[in-house]
Amino acid sequence: MSDFKSSYLISVFIVAVIFVLYGCSSVKIEDLEIKELITTVLARKISISDTVKVSMKADAEWVQNPLLKPCNLESFSRLRSIIKIEAKSLESILSEEDLKKICVESEEDFIFSKKMVPQSVKLVEQNYLDSLFAAYTLSLKNQTVASQQFENLNSNAYIRLSKPIFLQKGEFAFIYYSNHSSESSSSLLVYEKTGQKWELILSFPLLIS
């Protein structure tokens, strides 16, 4: 009986170790995939700045854009026709199931960690970033913008990203990108994995100001 009990405990221990190791490796692989994608998305920003500020909290608000209501393949295709994108057909890349996955998972709470971003990216609390932008917007509305406020906003220009969504066994990736400064812009981006690199194949501009 004691031999059986010992064997049972050893088996349980081995299973537990395998579970822990597998779980840890899965997290590391996911973090690495996200880091590779974000490095590609921010490549231009990183090349011209020592530090790129990115909101720690993923942006889930883009799903509420009226141009994408309801959030499905038809809406994305309609958006594509409105802004006259000259690129690959969306329908030839993503399925209705892919769009459903994008719309559902993009609304989930997601926090970026340091393991998910390149070294030159600084993750910043969203509340602080919002306060800077709100102060600038109010001053602009009241026509009392001081040069210091303008410089402060631009020196603290930051990026917001949605939760990265990987599709079709990691062959494609979707991410929402928005740049916040005195001149703001935002886009929906679709990347394709070619070899070990991510290549931008579709970009849907949503805002330029």
Side-chain angles (χ1 to χ4, degrees):
M1 180 65 72
S2 60
D3 289 342
F4 174 78
K5 186 175 181 180
S6 298
S7 299
Y8 174 76
L9 291 175
I10 291 172
S11 299
V12 170
F13 176 75
I14 292 173
V15 170
V17 170
I18 292 173
F19 177 80
V20 170
L21 291 176
Y22 178 78
C24 291
S25 63
S26 296
V27 172
K28 289 179 181 177
I29 290 172
E30 182 183 9
D31 289 350
L32 182 60
E33 288 177 341
I34 292 174
K35 184 176 181 178
E36 289 176 350
L37 177 63
I38 291 178
T39 300
T40 301
V41 173
L42 300 179
R44 181 177 172 277
K45 287 284 184 183
I46 292 172
S47 69
I48 60 176
S49 178
D50 293 333
T51 302
V52 178
K53 295 183 177 69
V54 173
S55 173
M56 189 179 298
K57 184 178 181 181
D59 189 342
E61 297 167 8
W62 71 266
V63 183
Q64 305 305 319
N65 189 299
L67 291 174
L68 295 172
K69 288 293 185 181
C71 188
N72 57 24
L73 190 58
E74 182 180 347
S75 296
F76 273 72
S77 298
R78 184 173 65 250
L79 174 64
R80 183 177 188 273
S81 65
I82 291 173
I83 58 182
K84 298 179 180 179
I85 297 173
E86 297 296 333
K88 292 183 178 181
S89 165
L90 181 68
E91 292 85 347
S92 68
I93 300 169
L94 304 180
S95 66
E96 190 68 60
E97 283 301 310
D98 289 330
L99 263 296
K100 183 178 179 180
K101 179 180 172 73
I102 288 171
C103 297
V104 171
E105 292 192 15
S106 290
E107 291 192 293
E108 297 174 356
D109 288 336
F110 186 82
I111 303 296
F112 290 102
S113 71
K114 290 182 179 179
K115 295 178 181 179
M116 300 176 184
V117 297
Q119 192 172 1
S120 54
V121 167
K122 179 181 180 181
L123 295 173
V124 187
E125 290 284 351
Q126 185 59 39
N127 290 342
Y128 169 69
L129 298 172
D130 287 343
S131 67
L132 286 176
F133 200 75
Y136 174 78
T137 303
L138 181 62
S139 299
L140 191 65
K141 182 179 180 181
N142 296 333
Q143 298 182 335
T144 58
V145 178
S147 59
Q148 182 60 43
Q149 285 179 307
F150 186 83
E151 291 173 9
N152 189 37
L153 178 65
N154 282 323
S155 64
N156 286 283
Y158 66 95
I159 306 296
R160 287 202 73 183
L161 301 170
S162 68
K163 175 185 176 182
I165 310 296
F166 296 96
L167 307 161
Q168 300 178 29
K169 297 181 179 180
E171 185 177 352
F172 297 97
F174 170 91
I175 194 165
Y176 169 78
Y177 168 100
S178 60
N179 174 59
H180 298 263
S181 65
S182 58
E183 295 182 359
S184 299
S185 63
S186 63
S187 298
L188 304 174
L189 308 173
V190 179
Y191 288 83
E192 182 177 10
K193 195 70 173 286
T194 55
Q196 298 300 313
K197 296 182 179 180
W198 287 105
E199 178 184 350
L200 180 64
I201 56 173
L202 276 177
S203 176
F204 294 72
L206 290 182
L207 169 69
I208 299 176
S209 65

